[in-house]
Amino acid sequence: MKRIKITIAYDGSRYNGWQIQRSTDNTIQGKISAVLERMCGHVVEVNGSGRTDAGVHARQQVASFDIDSKHQPADIHAYLCQYLPEDIAVLDVEEAEAAFHARYSCRSKTYMYRIHTSRVPNVFERRYLYTYTDKALDISKMREAARLLCGTHDYKAFCGNPKMKKSTVRTITDIKIEVSGPEIDISYTGDGFLQNMVRILTGTLIEVGNGSLQASAMTRILDSKDRQMAGFTAPPQGLTLMRVEY
Amino acid sequence: MKRIKITIAYDGSRYNGWQIQRSTDNTIQGKISAVLERMCGHVVEVNGSGRTDAGVHARQQVASFDIDSKHQPADIHAYLCQYLPEDIAVLDVEEAEAAFHARYSCRSKTYMYRIHTSRVPNVFERRYLYTYTDKALDISKMREAARLLCGTHDYKAFCGNPKMKKSTVRTITDIKIEVSGPEIDISYTGDGFLQNMVRILTGTLIEVGNGSLQASAMTRILDSKDRQMAGFTAPPQGLTLMRVEY
């Protein structure tokens, strides 16, 4: 057996997220596992760097699995290309060290959330944007709030899973907000993110931008560890996993 | 009454092309006319710079129409934005001179045809690309053929309508072929294009690139005025109307 590392891009629009579920076979992990099972004749357990929610995209997701040594990376790549649907692309397949694990070895991840602020739609990118036109967003206030949200904190208030038992402490090293015409792109880099965390951070930053929340409230929200204190959960289609680093 | 000029972008994937047809209301022109009729209470005739085929996109299509002087451009823009579907965007609305006509006043148009040459799909742009992986394409031969196809010629051999009665003479001022990673972009600029002409030119250039046709055969194909001599009609989804100039 040998360990394989693959890099994947996907348009998450029509999937129920990354993670295999008993109730549906319509997941990215499920599609990849099914093709590998077809190739090998037995179940192959595919470990992603982390889950992405239903409707969330990836420009660079990483997964690892073990496979019989007779399979060469180029053959695995060609096989996956042939049988995966056109909204899942395998960008790279390589042999990894035995100790490599897509989730446990991950050092940092970067997500981008794209907000479209014009009533004139971006017709070609519309599936990868969240359109918000209710109020003008104050970028400098959003940047001020973003600074307060960076660092090592207990992000329980920004966790979508109320039953989360494990540690909700994470480190966000950077939140960058860039404006390009009618689009606001928020990039989050950190050592890991809780369920819905990037979407809740984004909803909270939007509420700061539109004046519903003060930037200075971020510290209080973090301290409260109360999901009710943070902003809304921004919808999934604006979110893309951009990069996973090892 | 005053004359209005609008600039539009659309994802043509789910439409039966630009032109209103008796058999379907699923056309771009039809959608725009219907919203203007709703606004004005009577039929508004919308003239596009030209037709685009079913499945073809536009980053900048231009249309003109007459409307009661009480309607201001900003109001027309807001109304169109509100009622058009999200795959049709009105980028600009302005009052034009009475003599302006989107089709007759047009001086030149630029189309781009995008070919994706990798088996690894481009998941985010896949609806706007034609994937061709049968054979490697020789770009220098395609450029040689492209040079021979430029100029003022009778392009009857590149016309998809065998019953075309009017002149099939057109001037192509430029065909630019650019390579970017696995993508080949062919841009065509000219004073006007016949039915399917850009798609047939593209199919012909692909056949030059893959070795089925010699670049030097272009002159013979033009002279033949015979559709059978030219290459295949490349599929619509790779084609986008980029710019219309007046």
Side-chain angles (χ1 to χ4, degrees), chain A residues 9-11 57-59 77 81 86-91 119-121 123-128, chain B residues 10-11 57-59 77 81 86-91 119-121 123-128:
Chain A
Y10 47 84
D11 174 346
H57 321 288
R59 292 204 174 258
H77 200 173
C81 259
E86 61 164 12
D87 48 7
I88 303 177
V90 176
L91 306 176
R119 286 196 171 78
V120 177
V123 295
F124 298 103
E125 304 273 318
R126 66 188 194 279
R127 292 180 184 83
Y128 317 119
Chain B
Y10 47 85
D11 174 346
H57 321 289
R59 290 204 174 258
H77 199 173
C81 260
E86 63 165 9
D87 49 7
I88 303 176
V90 176
L91 307 176
R119 286 197 170 79
V120 178
V123 296
F124 299 103
E125 303 274 319
R126 67 189 192 279
R127 292 182 183 82
Y128 317 120

mmCIF file of all heavy atoms in Angstrom, chain A residues 9-11 57-59 77 81 86-91 119-121 123-128, chain B residues 10-11 57-59 77 81 86-91 119-121 123-128:
data_model
loop_
_atom_site.group_PDB
_atom_site.id
_atom_site.type_symbol
_atom_site.label_atom_id
_atom_site.label_comp_id
_atom_site.label_asym_id
_atom_site.label_seq_id
_atom_site.Cartn_x
_atom_site.Cartn_y
_atom_site.Cartn_z
ATOM 1 N N ALA A 9 -10.463 20.603 -7.164
ATOM 2 C CA ALA A 9 -11.282 21.829 -7.236
ATOM 3 C C ALA A 9 -12.711 21.385 -7.500
ATOM 4 O O ALA A 9 -12.923 20.389 -8.197
ATOM 5 C CB ALA A 9 -10.804 22.730 -8.372
ATOM 6 N N TYR A 10 -13.671 22.079 -6.919
ATOM 7 C CA TYR A 10 -15.057 21.737 -7.261
ATOM 8 C C TYR A 10 -15.996 22.926 -7.158
ATOM 9 O O TYR A 10 -15.782 23.846 -6.387
ATOM 10 C CB TYR A 10 -15.599 20.569 -6.421
ATOM 11 C CG TYR A 10 -15.362 20.620 -4.930
ATOM 12 C CD1 TYR A 10 -16.210 21.333 -4.074
ATOM 13 C CD2 TYR A 10 -14.302 19.923 -4.361
ATOM 14 C CE1 TYR A 10 -16.004 21.357 -2.707
ATOM 15 C CE2 TYR A 10 -14.084 19.939 -2.988
ATOM 16 C CZ TYR A 10 -14.929 20.660 -2.168
ATOM 17 O OH TYR A 10 -14.722 20.686 -0.809
ATOM 18 N N ASP A 11 -17.009 22.863 -8.016
ATOM 19 C CA ASP A 11 -18.143 23.779 -7.955
ATOM 20 C C ASP A 11 -19.150 23.069 -7.057
ATOM 21 O O ASP A 11 -19.739 22.060 -7.470
ATOM 22 C CB ASP A 11 -18.691 23.976 -9.369
ATOM 23 C CG ASP A 11 -19.973 24.795 -9.401
ATOM 24 O OD1 ASP A 11 -20.581 24.992 -8.334
ATOM 25 O OD2 ASP A 11 -20.372 25.216 -10.499
ATOM 26 N N HIS A 57 -17.756 25.964 -2.411
ATOM 27 C CA HIS A 57 -16.840 25.553 -3.486
ATOM 28 C C HIS A 57 -15.414 25.377 -2.976
ATOM 29 O O HIS A 57 -15.082 25.807 -1.872
ATOM 30 C CB HIS A 57 -16.847 26.620 -4.587
ATOM 31 C CG HIS A 57 -18.201 27.179 -4.837
ATOM 32 N ND1 HIS A 57 -19.183 26.446 -5.476
ATOM 33 C CD2 HIS A 57 -18.779 28.368 -4.505
ATOM 34 C CE1 HIS A 57 -20.286 27.166 -5.523
ATOM 35 N NE2 HIS A 57 -20.068 28.340 -4.943
ATOM 36 N N ALA A 58 -14.560 24.800 -3.823
ATOM 37 C CA ALA A 58 -13.136 24.715 -3.483
ATOM 38 C C ALA A 58 -12.304 24.933 -4.729
ATOM 39 O O ALA A 58 -12.583 24.361 -5.785
ATOM 40 C CB ALA A 58 -12.807 23.359 -2.878
ATOM 41 N N ARG A 59 -11.297 25.794 -4.613
ATOM 42 C CA ARG A 59 -10.313 25.929 -5.687
ATOM 43 C C ARG A 59 -9.140 25.005 -5.407
ATOM 44 O O ARG A 59 -8.404 24.638 -6.301
ATOM 45 C CB ARG A 59 -9.817 27.375 -5.820
ATOM 46 C CG ARG A 59 -10.902 28.294 -6.326
ATOM 47 C CD ARG A 59 -10.376 29.554 -7.007
ATOM 48 N NE ARG A 59 -11.515 30.258 -7.556
ATOM 49 C CZ ARG A 59 -11.866 30.247 -8.841
ATOM 50 N NH1 ARG A 59 -11.131 29.628 -9.734
ATOM 51 N NH2 ARG A 59 -12.942 30.894 -9.248
ATOM 52 N N HIS A 77 -4.818 9.594 -11.586
ATOM 53 C CA HIS A 77 -5.283 10.901 -12.083
ATOM 54 C C HIS A 77 -6.163 10.726 -13.323
ATOM 55 O O HIS A 77 -7.258 11.290 -13.416
ATOM 56 C CB HIS A 77 -4.078 11.787 -12.402
ATOM 57 C CG HIS A 77 -4.416 13.248 -12.456
ATOM 58 N ND1 HIS A 77 -3.479 14.235 -12.584
ATOM 59 C CD2 HIS A 77 -5.611 13.892 -12.401
ATOM 60 C CE1 HIS A 77 -4.078 15.402 -12.608
ATOM 61 N NE2 HIS A 77 -5.367 15.223 -12.501
ATOM 62 N N CYS A 81 -10.147 11.586 -13.596
ATOM 63 C CA CYS A 81 -10.567 12.536 -14.641
ATOM 64 C C CYS A 81 -11.670 11.949 -15.504
ATOM 65 O O CYS A 81 -12.623 12.617 -15.865
ATOM 66 C CB CYS A 81 -9.403 12.849 -15.573
ATOM 67 S SG CYS A 81 -8.641 14.409 -15.194
ATOM 68 N N GLU A 86 -18.045 16.795 -14.396
ATOM 69 C CA GLU A 86 -17.235 17.941 -14.831
ATOM 70 C C GLU A 86 -17.187 19.085 -13.820
ATOM 71 O O GLU A 86 -16.454 20.049 -14.012
ATOM 72 C CB GLU A 86 -17.714 18.449 -16.196
ATOM 73 C CG GLU A 86 -19.150 18.923 -16.183
ATOM 74 C CD GLU A 86 -19.513 19.767 -17.392
ATOM 75 O OE1 GLU A 86 -18.746 19.821 -18.365
ATOM 76 O OE2 GLU A 86 -20.595 20.384 -17.362
ATOM 77 N N ASP A 87 -17.938 18.973 -12.713
ATOM 78 C CA ASP A 87 -17.827 20.013 -11.690
ATOM 79 C C ASP A 87 -16.903 19.602 -10.540
ATOM 80 O O ASP A 87 -16.820 20.297 -9.520
ATOM 81 C CB ASP A 87 -19.207 20.478 -11.174
ATOM 82 C CG ASP A 87 -20.124 19.332 -10.812
ATOM 83 O OD1 ASP A 87 -19.671 18.173 -10.823
ATOM 84 O OD2 ASP A 87 -21.308 19.600 -10.512
ATOM 85 N N ILE A 88 -16.207 18.485 -10.710
ATOM 86 C CA ILE A 88 -15.147 18.089 -9.756
ATOM 87 C C ILE A 88 -13.887 17.825 -10.579
ATOM 88 O O ILE A 88 -13.898 16.970 -11.467
ATOM 89 C CB ILE A 88 -15.510 16.813 -8.971
ATOM 90 C CG1 ILE A 88 -16.843 16.990 -8.212
ATOM 91 C CG2 ILE A 88 -14.385 16.441 -7.990
ATOM 92 C CD1 ILE A 88 -17.301 15.742 -7.462
ATOM 93 N N ALA A 89 -12.826 18.573 -10.313
ATOM 94 C CA ALA A 89 -11.576 18.419 -11.071
ATOM 95 C C ALA A 89 -10.463 17.970 -10.136
ATOM 96 O O ALA A 89 -10.285 18.556 -9.065
ATOM 97 C CB ALA A 89 -11.183 19.739 -11.721
ATOM 98 N N VAL A 90 -9.720 16.961 -10.546
ATOM 99 C CA VAL A 90 -8.539 16.571 -9.785
ATOM 100 C C VAL A 90 -7.349 17.282 -10.422
ATOM 101 O O VAL A 90 -7.009 17.047 -11.584
ATOM 102 C CB VAL A 90 -8.349 15.044 -9.792
ATOM 103 C CG1 VAL A 90 -7.056 14.666 -9.086
ATOM 104 C CG2 VAL A 90 -9.539 14.378 -9.102
ATOM 105 N N LEU A 91 -6.758 18.209 -9.679
ATOM 106 C CA LEU A 91 -5.689 19.052 -10.224
ATOM 107 C C LEU A 91 -4.334 18.365 -10.139
ATOM 108 O O LEU A 91 -3.452 18.599 -10.967
ATOM 109 C CB LEU A 91 -5.626 20.380 -9.455
ATOM 110 C CG LEU A 91 -6.951 21.161 -9.370
ATOM 111 C CD1 LEU A 91 -6.764 22.401 -8.506
ATOM 112 C CD2 LEU A 91 -7.442 21.551 -10.762
ATOM 113 N N ARG A 119 -26.916 45.834 -7.794
ATOM 114 C CA ARG A 119 -28.164 45.236 -8.287
ATOM 115 C C ARG A 119 -27.984 44.702 -9.705
ATOM 116 O O ARG A 119 -28.769 43.884 -10.167
ATOM 117 C CB ARG A 119 -29.308 46.259 -8.255
ATOM 118 C CG ARG A 119 -29.793 46.522 -6.839
ATOM 119 C CD ARG A 119 -31.152 47.209 -6.795
ATOM 120 N NE ARG A 119 -31.618 47.230 -5.429
ATOM 121 C CZ ARG A 119 -31.188 48.069 -4.491
ATOM 122 N NH1 ARG A 119 -30.317 49.011 -4.810
ATOM 123 N NH2 ARG A 119 -31.643 47.991 -3.258
ATOM 124 N N VAL A 120 -26.952 45.172 -10.401
ATOM 125 C CA VAL A 120 -26.634 44.622 -11.730
ATOM 126 C C VAL A 120 -25.878 43.317 -11.486
ATOM 127 O O VAL A 120 -24.782 43.327 -10.925
ATOM 128 C CB VAL A 120 -25.749 45.587 -12.540
ATOM 129 C CG1 VAL A 120 -25.379 44.973 -13.880
ATOM 130 C CG2 VAL A 120 -26.453 46.928 -12.726
ATOM 131 N N PRO A 121 -26.466 42.181 -11.867
ATOM 132 C CA PRO A 121 -25.802 40.913 -11.531
ATOM 133 C C PRO A 121 -24.505 40.701 -12.312
ATOM 134 O O PRO A 121 -24.328 41.247 -13.395
ATOM 135 C CB PRO A 121 -26.838 39.853 -11.930
ATOM 136 C CG PRO A 121 -27.737 40.517 -12.928
ATOM 137 C CD PRO A 121 -27.743 41.983 -12.587
ATOM 138 N N VAL A 123 -23.277 38.092 -14.276
ATOM 139 C CA VAL A 123 -23.937 36.902 -14.817
ATOM 140 C C VAL A 123 -23.010 35.682 -14.898
ATOM 141 O O VAL A 123 -23.459 34.552 -14.772
ATOM 142 C CB VAL A 123 -24.586 37.151 -16.200
ATOM 143 C CG1 VAL A 123 -25.717 38.161 -16.089
ATOM 144 C CG2 VAL A 123 -23.596 37.592 -17.241
ATOM 145 N N PHE A 124 -21.716 35.915 -15.100
ATOM 146 C CA PHE A 124 -20.813 34.774 -15.307
ATOM 147 C C PHE A 124 -20.296 34.176 -14.006
ATOM 148 O O PHE A 124 -19.838 33.042 -13.977
ATOM 149 C CB PHE A 124 -19.651 35.180 -16.219
ATOM 150 C CG PHE A 124 -20.126 35.600 -17.575
ATOM 151 C CD1 PHE A 124 -20.187 36.941 -17.916
ATOM 152 C CD2 PHE A 124 -20.560 34.661 -18.486
ATOM 153 C CE1 PHE A 124 -20.667 37.336 -19.148
ATOM 154 C CE2 PHE A 124 -21.038 35.039 -19.723
ATOM 155 C CZ PHE A 124 -21.084 36.383 -20.068
ATOM 156 N N GLU A 125 -20.332 34.939 -12.923
ATOM 157 C CA GLU A 125 -19.796 34.480 -11.636
ATOM 158 C C GLU A 125 -20.899 34.305 -10.604
ATOM 159 O O GLU A 125 -20.614 34.075 -9.428
ATOM 160 C CB GLU A 125 -18.790 35.515 -11.107
ATOM 161 C CG GLU A 125 -17.652 35.838 -12.045
ATOM 162 C CD GLU A 125 -16.493 34.876 -11.861
ATOM 163 O OE1 GLU A 125 -16.164 34.564 -10.712
ATOM 164 O OE2 GLU A 125 -15.952 34.418 -12.884
ATOM 165 N N ARG A 126 -22.139 34.439 -11.043
ATOM 166 C CA ARG A 126 -23.223 34.544 -10.066
ATOM 167 C C ARG A 126 -23.341 33.344 -9.132
ATOM 168 O O ARG A 126 -23.806 33.486 -8.002
ATOM 169 C CB ARG A 126 -24.556 34.792 -10.778
ATOM 170 C CG ARG A 126 -25.029 33.634 -11.633
ATOM 171 C CD ARG A 126 -26.251 34.026 -12.464
ATOM 172 N NE ARG A 126 -26.908 32.858 -13.033
ATOM 173 C CZ ARG A 126 -26.496 32.236 -14.132
ATOM 174 N NH1 ARG A 126 -25.436 32.675 -14.789
ATOM 175 N NH2 ARG A 126 -27.142 31.182 -14.589
ATOM 176 N N ARG A 127 -22.915 32.170 -9.580
ATOM 177 C CA ARG A 127 -23.031 30.983 -8.721
ATOM 178 C C ARG A 127 -22.003 30.972 -7.600
ATOM 179 O O ARG A 127 -22.066 30.143 -6.709
ATOM 180 C CB ARG A 127 -22.864 29.711 -9.555
ATOM 181 C CG ARG A 127 -24.008 29.473 -10.518
ATOM 182 C CD ARG A 127 -23.796 28.209 -11.309
ATOM 183 N NE ARG A 127 -24.856 28.035 -12.298
ATOM 184 C CZ ARG A 127 -24.875 28.613 -13.478
ATOM 185 N NH1 ARG A 127 -23.883 29.407 -13.838
ATOM 186 N NH2 ARG A 127 -25.867 28.417 -14.320
ATOM 187 N N TYR A 128 -21.023 31.884 -7.660
ATOM 188 C CA TYR A 128 -19.929 31.872 -6.680
ATOM 189 C C TYR A 128 -19.918 33.142 -5.830
ATOM 190 O O TYR A 128 -18.930 33.470 -5.189
ATOM 191 C CB TYR A 128 -18.592 31.686 -7.422
ATOM 192 C CG TYR A 128 -18.701 30.637 -8.513
ATOM 193 C CD1 TYR A 128 -18.471 30.932 -9.856
ATOM 194 C CD2 TYR A 128 -19.096 29.335 -8.187
ATOM 195 C CE1 TYR A 128 -18.625 29.973 -10.847
ATOM 196 C CE2 TYR A 128 -19.250 28.368 -9.170
ATOM 197 C CZ TYR A 128 -19.018 28.692 -10.493
ATOM 198 O OH TYR A 128 -19.183 27.736 -11.466
ATOM 199 N N TYR B 10 -24.959 38.620 -20.878
ATOM 200 C CA TYR B 10 -25.779 37.449 -20.528
ATOM 201 C C TYR B 10 -25.019 36.144 -20.630
ATOM 202 O O TYR B 10 -24.099 35.998 -21.408
ATOM 203 C CB TYR B 10 -27.069 37.382 -21.349
ATOM 204 C CG TYR B 10 -26.948 37.583 -22.839
ATOM 205 C CD1 TYR B 10 -26.633 36.525 -23.692
ATOM 206 C CD2 TYR B 10 -27.193 38.833 -23.408
ATOM 207 C CE1 TYR B 10 -26.549 36.710 -25.074
ATOM 208 C CE2 TYR B 10 -27.104 39.027 -24.780
ATOM 209 C CZ TYR B 10 -26.784 37.971 -25.605
ATOM 210 O OH TYR B 10 -26.695 38.160 -26.961
ATOM 211 N N ASP B 11 -25.454 35.235 -19.762
ATOM 212 C CA ASP B 11 -25.036 33.839 -19.824
ATOM 213 C C ASP B 11 -26.081 33.168 -20.704
ATOM 214 O O ASP B 11 -27.230 32.995 -20.302
ATOM 215 C CB ASP B 11 -25.050 33.264 -18.404
ATOM 216 C CG ASP B 11 -24.771 31.775 -18.369
ATOM 217 O OD1 ASP B 11 -24.818 31.120 -19.435
ATOM 218 O OD2 ASP B 11 -24.509 31.260 -17.271
ATOM 219 N N HIS B 57 -22.905 33.357 -25.373
ATOM 220 C CA HIS B 57 -22.936 34.359 -24.305
ATOM 221 C C HIS B 57 -22.569 35.753 -24.821
ATOM 222 O O HIS B 57 -22.074 35.896 -25.934
ATOM 223 C CB HIS B 57 -21.945 33.961 -23.212
ATOM 224 C CG HIS B 57 -21.935 32.492 -22.951
ATOM 225 N ND1 HIS B 57 -22.975 31.857 -22.324
ATOM 226 C CD2 HIS B 57 -21.037 31.517 -23.279
ATOM 227 C CE1 HIS B 57 -22.720 30.564 -22.263
ATOM 228 N NE2 HIS B 57 -21.545 30.331 -22.837
ATOM 229 N N ALA B 58 -22.789 36.760 -23.988
ATOM 230 C CA ALA B 58 -22.343 38.114 -24.339
ATOM 231 C C ALA B 58 -21.818 38.813 -23.095
ATOM 232 O O ALA B 58 -22.448 38.775 -22.042
ATOM 233 C CB ALA B 58 -23.493 38.926 -24.937
ATOM 234 N N ARG B 59 -20.634 39.418 -23.227
ATOM 235 C CA ARG B 59 -20.128 40.287 -22.156
ATOM 236 C C ARG B 59 -20.544 41.721 -22.441
ATOM 237 O O ARG B 59 -20.600 42.548 -21.542
ATOM 238 C CB ARG B 59 -18.602 40.205 -22.054
ATOM 239 C CG ARG B 59 -18.145 38.862 -21.523
ATOM 240 C CD ARG B 59 -16.800 38.873 -20.861
ATOM 241 N NE ARG B 59 -16.566 37.563 -20.296
ATOM 242 C CZ ARG B 59 -16.687 37.252 -18.997
ATOM 243 N NH1 ARG B 59 -16.995 38.167 -18.118
ATOM 244 N NH2 ARG B 59 -16.475 36.029 -18.586
ATOM 245 N N HIS B 77 -33.199 51.520 -16.207
ATOM 246 C CA HIS B 77 -32.156 50.600 -15.723
ATOM 247 C C HIS B 77 -32.638 49.854 -14.476
ATOM 248 O O HIS B 77 -32.544 48.621 -14.392
ATOM 249 C CB HIS B 77 -30.866 51.381 -15.435
ATOM 250 C CG HIS B 77 -29.652 50.521 -15.381
ATOM 251 N ND1 HIS B 77 -28.386 51.012 -15.272
ATOM 252 C CD2 HIS B 77 -29.506 49.168 -15.422
ATOM 253 C CE1 HIS B 77 -27.518 50.008 -15.254
ATOM 254 N NE2 HIS B 77 -28.179 48.888 -15.337
ATOM 255 N N CYS B 81 -33.323 45.840 -14.167
ATOM 256 C CA CYS B 81 -32.593 45.092 -13.137
ATOM 257 C C CYS B 81 -33.538 44.295 -12.269
ATOM 258 O O CYS B 81 -33.272 43.163 -11.902
ATOM 259 C CB CYS B 81 -31.837 46.051 -12.224
ATOM 260 S SG CYS B 81 -30.131 46.186 -12.628
ATOM 261 N N GLU B 86 -31.398 36.561 -13.348
ATOM 262 C CA GLU B 86 -30.034 36.889 -12.920
ATOM 263 C C GLU B 86 -28.971 36.502 -13.932
ATOM 264 O O GLU B 86 -27.793 36.811 -13.741
ATOM 265 C CB GLU B 86 -29.734 36.283 -11.554
ATOM 266 C CG GLU B 86 -29.795 34.778 -11.565
ATOM 267 C CD GLU B 86 -29.149 34.134 -10.330
ATOM 268 O OE1 GLU B 86 -28.807 34.851 -9.378
ATOM 269 O OE2 GLU B 86 -28.995 32.908 -10.357
ATOM 270 N N ASP B 87 -29.370 35.848 -15.041
ATOM 271 C CA ASP B 87 -28.369 35.549 -16.071
ATOM 272 C C ASP B 87 -28.412 36.553 -17.226
ATOM 273 O O ASP B 87 -27.768 36.369 -18.259
ATOM 274 C CB ASP B 87 -28.471 34.091 -16.566
ATOM 275 C CG ASP B 87 -29.876 33.673 -16.927
ATOM 276 O OD1 ASP B 87 -30.769 34.535 -16.931
ATOM 277 O OD2 ASP B 87 -30.072 32.477 -17.209
ATOM 278 N N ILE B 88 -29.192 37.631 -17.058
ATOM 279 C CA ILE B 88 -29.177 38.748 -18.008
ATOM 280 C C ILE B 88 -28.945 40.022 -17.197
ATOM 281 O O ILE B 88 -29.739 40.338 -16.309
ATOM 282 C CB ILE B 88 -30.504 38.884 -18.787
ATOM 283 C CG1 ILE B 88 -30.840 37.584 -19.531
ATOM 284 C CG2 ILE B 88 -30.442 40.065 -19.763
ATOM 285 C CD1 ILE B 88 -32.198 37.617 -20.253
ATOM 286 N N ALA B 89 -27.862 40.728 -17.474
ATOM 287 C CA ALA B 89 -27.541 41.949 -16.727
ATOM 288 C C ALA B 89 -27.547 43.139 -17.664
ATOM 289 O O ALA B 89 -26.945 43.090 -18.741
ATOM 290 C CB ALA B 89 -26.162 41.825 -16.077
ATOM 291 N N VAL B 90 -28.206 44.212 -17.261
ATOM 292 C CA VAL B 90 -28.131 45.459 -18.019
ATOM 293 C C VAL B 90 -27.022 46.291 -17.389
ATOM 294 O O VAL B 90 -27.115 46.697 -16.237
ATOM 295 C CB VAL B 90 -29.480 46.199 -18.014
ATOM 296 C CG1 VAL B 90 -29.348 47.535 -18.727
ATOM 297 C CG2 VAL B 90 -30.533 45.335 -18.694
ATOM 298 N N LEU B 91 -25.940 46.500 -18.149
ATOM 299 C CA LEU B 91 -24.758 47.180 -17.614
ATOM 300 C C LEU B 91 -24.888 48.690 -17.710
ATOM 301 O O LEU B 91 -24.340 49.420 -16.895
ATOM 302 C CB LEU B 91 -23.507 46.725 -18.387
ATOM 303 C CG LEU B 91 -23.285 45.204 -18.479
ATOM 304 C CD1 LEU B 91 -22.069 44.898 -19.356
ATOM 305 C CD2 LEU B 91 -23.112 44.596 -17.100
ATOM 306 N N ARG B 119 -7.838 17.466 -20.014
ATOM 307 C CA ARG B 119 -8.851 16.529 -19.503
ATOM 308 C C ARG B 119 -9.271 16.911 -18.087
ATOM 309 O O ARG B 119 -10.308 16.476 -17.600
ATOM 310 C CB ARG B 119 -8.320 15.097 -19.535
ATOM 311 C CG ARG B 119 -8.272 14.545 -20.938
ATOM 312 C CD ARG B 119 -8.138 13.032 -20.986
ATOM 313 N NE ARG B 119 -8.340 12.580 -22.356
ATOM 314 C CZ ARG B 119 -7.411 12.643 -23.302
ATOM 315 N NH1 ARG B 119 -6.214 13.089 -23.027
ATOM 316 N NH2 ARG B 119 -7.696 12.252 -24.541
ATOM 317 N N VAL B 120 -8.451 17.706 -17.401
ATOM 318 C CA VAL B 120 -8.826 18.226 -16.082
ATOM 319 C C VAL B 120 -9.763 19.408 -16.320
ATOM 320 O O VAL B 120 -9.358 20.423 -16.888
ATOM 321 C CB VAL B 120 -7.589 18.699 -15.288
ATOM 322 C CG1 VAL B 120 -8.007 19.275 -13.933
ATOM 323 C CG2 VAL B 120 -6.603 17.549 -15.099
ATOM 324 N N PRO B 121 -11.028 19.292 -15.932
ATOM 325 C CA PRO B 121 -11.955 20.380 -16.271
ATOM 326 C C PRO B 121 -11.680 21.672 -15.498
ATOM 327 O O PRO B 121 -11.102 21.642 -14.415
ATOM 328 C CB PRO B 121 -13.323 19.811 -15.876
ATOM 329 C CG PRO B 121 -13.041 18.738 -14.870
ATOM 330 C CD PRO B 121 -11.693 18.187 -15.207
ATOM 331 N N VAL B 123 -13.607 23.791 -13.532
ATOM 332 C CA VAL B 123 -14.959 23.633 -12.983
ATOM 333 C C VAL B 123 -15.742 24.935 -12.893
ATOM 334 O O VAL B 123 -16.967 24.932 -13.012
ATOM 335 C CB VAL B 123 -14.954 22.925 -11.598
ATOM 336 C CG1 VAL B 123 -14.431 21.513 -11.698
ATOM 337 C CG2 VAL B 123 -14.175 23.700 -10.565
ATOM 338 N N PHE B 124 -15.041 26.053 -12.706
ATOM 339 C CA PHE B 124 -15.760 27.319 -12.508
ATOM 340 C C PHE B 124 -16.138 28.019 -13.810
ATOM 341 O O PHE B 124 -17.024 28.861 -13.833
ATOM 342 C CB PHE B 124 -14.939 28.261 -11.614
ATOM 343 C CG PHE B 124 -14.700 27.670 -10.259
ATOM 344 C CD1 PHE B 124 -13.477 27.121 -9.925
ATOM 345 C CD2 PHE B 124 -15.730 27.610 -9.343
ATOM 346 C CE1 PHE B 124 -13.263 26.547 -8.679
ATOM 347 C CE2 PHE B 124 -15.540 27.038 -8.095
ATOM 348 C CZ PHE B 124 -14.307 26.499 -7.764
ATOM 349 N N GLU B 125 -15.438 27.703 -14.877
ATOM 350 C CA GLU B 125 -15.692 28.370 -16.162
ATOM 351 C C GLU B 125 -16.269 27.400 -17.185
ATOM 352 O O GLU B 125 -16.372 27.729 -18.363
ATOM 353 C CB GLU B 125 -14.355 28.914 -16.715
ATOM 354 C CG GLU B 125 -13.631 29.867 -15.790
ATOM 355 C CD GLU B 125 -14.119 31.278 -15.979
ATOM 356 O OE1 GLU B 125 -14.331 31.690 -17.126
ATOM 357 O OE2 GLU B 125 -14.307 31.963 -14.967
ATOM 358 N N ARG B 126 -16.606 26.189 -16.760
ATOM 359 C CA ARG B 126 -16.904 25.136 -17.728
ATOM 360 C C ARG B 126 -18.072 25.457 -18.664
ATOM 361 O O ARG B 126 -18.131 24.956 -19.777
ATOM 362 C CB ARG B 126 -17.163 23.809 -17.006
ATOM 363 C CG ARG B 126 -18.419 23.801 -16.154
ATOM 364 C CD ARG B 126 -18.501 22.550 -15.306
ATOM 365 N NE ARG B 126 -19.806 22.377 -14.709
ATOM 366 C CZ ARG B 126 -20.221 22.998 -13.614
ATOM 367 N NH1 ARG B 126 -19.423 23.845 -12.996
ATOM 368 N NH2 ARG B 126 -21.431 22.790 -13.140
ATOM 369 N N ARG B 127 -18.992 26.299 -18.219
ATOM 370 C CA ARG B 127 -20.155 26.617 -19.062
ATOM 371 C C ARG B 127 -19.804 27.579 -20.195
ATOM 372 O O ARG B 127 -20.601 27.817 -21.079
ATOM 373 C CB ARG B 127 -21.256 27.255 -18.214
ATOM 374 C CG ARG B 127 -21.885 26.287 -17.229
ATOM 375 C CD ARG B 127 -22.997 26.977 -16.453
ATOM 376 N NE ARG B 127 -23.543 26.072 -15.461
ATOM 377 C CZ ARG B 127 -22.990 25.855 -14.265
ATOM 378 N NH1 ARG B 127 -21.876 26.484 -13.935
ATOM 379 N NH2 ARG B 127 -23.538 25.015 -13.418
ATOM 380 N N TYR B 128 -18.584 28.140 -20.131
ATOM 381 C CA TYR B 128 -18.195 29.156 -21.123
ATOM 382 C C TYR B 128 -17.025 28.686 -21.972
ATOM 383 O O TYR B 128 -16.360 29.490 -22.631
ATOM 384 C CB TYR B 128 -17.875 30.474 -20.403
ATOM 385 C CG TYR B 128 -18.879 30.781 -19.316
ATOM 386 C CD1 TYR B 128 -18.507 30.916 -17.978
ATOM 387 C CD2 TYR B 128 -20.242 30.867 -19.625
ATOM 388 C CE1 TYR B 128 -19.452 31.139 -16.981
ATOM 389 C CE2 TYR B 128 -21.188 31.086 -18.640
ATOM 390 C CZ TYR B 128 -20.786 31.223 -17.318
ATOM 391 O OH TYR B 128 -21.727 31.435 -16.343
#
